[in-house]
Amino acid sequence: MRLGFLGAAGEVTGSCTLVEAAGLRFVVDCGMFQGGSEARGKNQRALNFGCDMRRIDFVLLTHAHIDHSGLLPRLAMLGYRGPVYATPATIDLLHVLLPDSAHIQEKEAEWHLRNRHRRGMDPRAIPVPLYSVEQARAALRLLRPVRYGEILRPVGDVAVRFHDAGHILGSAWLEVSVSNAGQKRRLIFSGDLGQPDRPVLLDPQQPDGEADALLVESTYGDRRHRSLAETEDEIVEVCARTRAAGGNLIVPSFAVGRTQEIITLLAKLVRSRRLPPLKVYVDSPMANVATRITLAHPELLDAEAHELIAWQQAHPELLKLEFIADVERSKQLNAIRSGAVIISASGMCEAGRIKYHLRENLPRRECSILIAGFQAAGTLGRRLVDGARLVRIFGQQVPVRARVVTVGGLSAHADQAALLDWLGGFQRPPRHCFVGHGEASAAAALVTAIQARYDWPEVRATVPGEFVNL
Ligand SMILES: [Zn+2]
């Protein structure tokens, strides 16, 4: 058996593992590299499996995040026509996320083309989209649904089971058994694992038994998250202060997952009377669709989320939610001077309607900006977190007088303690444990922590492009 770590090794994007066993080839995740100037080149060189695409037997997707799924249209463009297995909720999200990813790339290329003279850009340096909206739609036709717990037999000697990973809606960790000449090998792929006890989703299911090879993520392998209780206290404090000052609370938020978590947390805090009645505007077409998809999968939500959804529907006057699709209505929000909570995307303030709300509200001392997600270096969100006094939005200088508050307890990824607890599910030490999907320092810290706690025979970080024979 051979494993190839073709992405998310020493970094957190571009997830892709090639498995060759028993005369078969399959791929786990087909993610896009994101961030940094090298991402484009890496995406163009990615999916280099060393064989004709038609010789890949099947593809398994752990979840819908673009860094795990975003090169699927490219895989199809390169000739892959076989099945791509994913959970039903992942498939629902991909129907929105993949065409959107193509659309963003097309817009970016158009923008560069329009502005190339002003920026003195070499036409050869203008980014070409990795795929078009049409090609993204074509790739969606390869998707095949698999429910959690169901035994899938993609080909004769292989059995696959998807288990809830508690990371985003529909996310899964995978158990793959391959039989060859009377010998059975069990592989576990963690995908991205969620933090237990977070709002909305069920907690990750634990693995059990044993594994010949385990690939585990390490995004926060070197960190411990702040507790949810602290985050709730911070939200209560920032709401009270903004209300007293007579301003608005602006929340830049990822459309999938984070927006639904924040709505749920606000509902919990209003219901328990820690917050007064609120008027919340969700101003992001993508967040509206993601919320609809979330509500369409009640089987994936935890008991508290069910209770809070029912409570909100019974008391719309206490938590007034308005989902805004229309651009004109979105513009009207600019006229609201106080008392509004506006949740909008993108989560890192780089694109989308959030930029308009920031332009209106950042210069006003009485407003607050609540940052509840990771902000990558170089983004507008990061500049705000870092305390910039002046930022550029749509070519204008905008002074930052609003208060910027960062809350740290809402990560979609398990921290080191939660990762170690999850790994505690194995009854026997996995024979090979590979730590991937983390910056080098995070992966190294998790390797050390696993060895200290479990003393497994082989634990090591993955190396990009490396193939290992087992
Ligand atoms: Zn993810």
Side-chain angles (χ1 to χ4, degrees):
M1 174 180 296
R2 199 160 85 117
L3 298 185
F5 304 119
L6 301 176
E11 62 181 316
V12 294
T13 67
S15 278
C16 185
T17 307
L18 176 69
V19 183
E20 297 172 345
L24 297 165
R25 273 195 192 85
F26 62 93
V27 173
V28 178
D29 283 342
C30 195
M32 187 185 283
F33 291 95
Q34 293 174 306
S37 51
E38 297 142 35
R40 176 154 297 278
K42 278 159 119 178
N43 284 322
Q44 273 154 351
R45 292 189 299 274
L47 310 180
N48 189 0
F49 302 133
C51 68
D52 188 310
M53 286 299 166
R54 285 167 297 190
R55 299 199 51 206
I56 304 287
D57 293 282
F58 58 95
V59 175
L60 306 171
L61 280 193
T62 61
H63 65 290
H65 274 152
I66 287 297
D67 65 314
H68 290 255
S69 70
L71 290 188
L72 208 55
R74 208 157 162 84
L75 188 74
M77 280 164 65
L78 294 172
Y80 180 71
R81 293 288 176 272
V84 177
Y85 297 102
T87 65
T90 295
I91 292 176
D92 288 350
L93 289 172
L94 288 173
H95 272 83
V96 190
L97 292 176
L98 288 180
D100 183 66
S101 163
H103 180 72
I104 291 169
Q105 295 177 52
E106 286 178 349
K107 285 272 161 228
E108 238 172 45
E110 270 171 36
W111 186 88
H112 282 289
L113 212 59
R114 261 202 322 274
N115 293 284
R116 68 186 186 281
H117 298 302
R118 189 160 58 80
R119 293 163 58 90
M121 205 170 182
D122 180 345
R124 284 167 303 183
I126 291 172
V128 179
L130 292 162
Y131 45 85
S132 66
V133 170
E134 219 166 291
Q135 285 164 327
R137 294 222 169 92
L140 295 172
R141 290 198 278 274
L142 304 176
L143 292 165
R144 305 280 177 273
V146 188
R147 295 186 181 280
Y148 292 132
E150 181 184 317
I151 295 179
L152 165 76
R153 295 195 181 279
V155 283
D157 293 329
V158 180
V160 180
R161 267 203 296 177
F162 287 62
H163 301 269
D164 196 339
H167 166 63
I168 61 162
L169 196 77
S171 65
W173 59 266
L174 309 176
E175 175 192 348
V176 184
S177 301
V178 183
S179 305
N180 190 20
Q183 212 195 11
K184 198 165 152 185
R185 296 280 189 92
R186 189 172 188 247
L187 310 175
I188 304 285
F189 298 89
S190 78
D192 287 356
L193 292 168
Q195 179 81 352
D197 297 324
R198 285 298 185 264
V200 184
L201 296 180
L202 292 165
D203 289 348
Q205 289 175 322
Q206 261 202 310
D208 60 6
E210 56 195 339
D212 292 287
L214 159 70
L215 179 61
V216 63
E217 70 125 322
S218 60
T219 313
Y220 289 114
D222 56 348
R223 250 174 281 178
R224 216 181 165 120
H225 296 321
R226 275 191 277 172
S227 73
L228 189 62
E230 279 171 276
T231 295
E232 289 176 4
D233 292 347
E234 285 161 340
I235 292 175
V236 168
E237 199 271 336
V238 70
C239 282
R241 197 196 262 244
T242 312
R243 192 182 171 84
N248 295 321
L249 177 63
I250 309 298
V251 189
S253 174
F254 304 112
V256 178
R258 188 56 40 85
T259 295
Q260 295 77 33
E261 278 176 355
I262 290 170
I263 297 171
T264 308
L265 265 187
L266 292 174
K268 180 179 171 186
L269 294 169
V270 173
R271 186 193 188 192
S272 62
R273 300 179 190 226
R274 294 193 64 199
L275 285 178
L278 289 180
K279 175 102 183 108
V280 178
Y281 301 91
V282 183
D283 188 19
S284 151
M286 175 72 85
N288 299 352
V289 178
T291 305
R292 252 205 314 277
I293 294 174
T294 305
L295 292 173
H297 289 277
E299 74 285 4
L300 305 181
L301 311 184
D302 66 15
E304 190 185 33
H306 282 284
E307 253 180 57
L308 289 168
I309 292 165
W311 172 83
Q312 194 276 331
Q313 284 166 350
H315 302 279
E317 73 290 356
L318 295 180
L319 182 69
K320 209 156 188 246
L321 285 173
E322 184 177 336
F323 291 90
I324 294 163
D326 186 56
V327 178
E328 286 313 306
R329 179 69 185 132
S330 172
K331 285 182 187 160
Q332 286 168 7
L333 299 185
N334 291 338
I336 303 177
R337 306 309 284 169
S338 73
V341 177
I342 301 174
I343 305 175
S344 185
S346 72
M348 299 192 202
C349 313
E350 280 297 278
R353 296 182 183 175
I354 187 65
K355 292 174 80 175
Y356 294 93
H357 300 303
L358 289 172
R359 187 179 62 184
E360 286 308 310
N361 292 278
L362 275 175
R364 300 177 56 219
R365 217 173 288 286
E366 56 276 27
C367 295
S368 303
I369 317 299
L370 182 75
I371 306 270
F374 178 74
Q375 305 296 319
T379 59
L380 174 57
R382 178 64 162 265
R383 285 194 285 285
L384 292 174
V385 169
D386 288 344
R389 304 311 305 160
L390 199 64
V391 292
R392 235 184 141 71
I393 300 177
F394 300 125
Q396 284 172 27
Q397 302 276 18
V398 178
V400 181
R401 297 197 194 94
R403 209 160 65 105
V404 178
V405 178
T406 309
V407 296
L410 282 178
S411 176
H413 286 272
D415 64 7
Q416 190 190 71
L419 287 167
L420 289 172
D421 287 348
W422 185 80
L423 294 169
F426 289 104
Q427 273 123 29
R428 271 181 295 282
R431 283 174 48 205
H432 308 274
C433 172
F434 300 103
V435 176
H437 199 286
E439 304 279 340
S441 55
L446 188 63
V447 168
T448 308
I450 295 171
Q451 279 163 335
R453 179 139 154 202
Y454 296 116
D455 193 26
W456 287 348
E458 188 196 8
V459 185
R460 66 176 186 84
T462 56
V463 176
E466 173 194 30
F467 280 84
V468 293
N469 290 300
L470 303 177

